[in-house]
Amino acid sequence: MKVSFTAKEYRQLLELVHLGMWAVTAYQGEETAAAKRYFALDQRLLGLATDLGCADLVEEREDQTLQPAPKLSEDDRLRDIQSEFQNDVFWHELVGRLAERDLGGEQAKRAMDTPGVEPPPSRDEQLKQVEKRYWDEFEKNDLAHVVVLRGGRG
């Protein structure tokens, strides 16, 4: 198969590759199975930069592997995408984990308070209700009402 790109399309492809490799390596490094899975393709795509008019977006490391040059890796648009992604992940993880924690406590309390009474809504429905309470709170107040208790569980 042969594919051709304009310099603009190739730059956009490099941006996507950079964002993808960043997602795979940002916190766990380049030695993970996921990073190794994509390394050869990453190198191959970076290696086309000169031929496709984007040599200024790629640089060679001391070990002769290629990496995005600062012109690409420090691009404000890409940094904004990374920042928005991290922010979204933070909020979704916080809400999901708090809701799971709270739901476990609510289910235990309900079982003790009302044995033999009609079954509660499904776990998914309950989880959505708890998550909605957190989303409403965080959208209204951000982290202003969050208190961390030292010595608590968790």
Side-chain angles (χ1 to χ4, degrees), residues 8 12 14 35 50-51 60-61 66 70 77 80 138 142:
K8 181 181 177 181
Q12 291 173 324
L14 284 183
T50 300
D51 293 342
E60 193 172 299
R61 297 181 191 172
L66 300 173
R77 288 173 299 145
D80 288 345
F138 292 140
D142 203 59

Side-chain angles (χ1 to χ4, degrees), residues 18-30 32 35 82 85-86:
H18 172 64
L19 290 169
M21 289 302 288
W22 172 81
V24 170
T25 63
Y27 294 107
Q28 297 180 347
E30 297 179 354
T32 64
Q82 291 167 325
F85 174 77
Q86 289 174 311

Side-chain angles (χ1 to χ4, degrees), residues 37-123:
R37 172 185 170 100
Y38 300 113
F39 181 77
L41 180 58
D42 175 60
Q43 291 298 293
R44 186 170 177 194
L45 290 169
L46 292 172
L48 298 172
T50 300
D51 293 342
L52 292 171
C54 295
D56 60 332
L57 299 178
V58 176
E59 64 186 19
E60 193 172 299
R61 297 181 191 172
E62 288 182 16
D63 65 0
Q64 279 70 53
T65 60
L66 300 173
Q67 68 181 11
K71 184 174 181 177
L72 177 62
S73 64
E74 297 173 9
D75 181 277
D76 288 338
R77 288 173 299 145
L78 298 183
R79 293 272 173 110
D80 288 345
I81 291 169
Q82 291 167 325
S83 181
E84 288 176 29
F85 174 77
Q86 289 174 311
N87 187 58
D88 289 347
V89 168
F90 168 79
W91 287 110
H92 284 272
E93 283 293 314
L94 181 62
V95 166
R97 291 177 187 208
L98 289 172
E100 286 283 346
R101 179 202 65 188
D102 292 356
L103 183 57
E106 286 177 14
Q107 286 179 330
K109 184 176 183 315
R110 183 179 293 120
M112 290 174 30
D113 291 347
T114 57
V117 177
E118 69 183 69
S122 75
R123 179 170 174 74

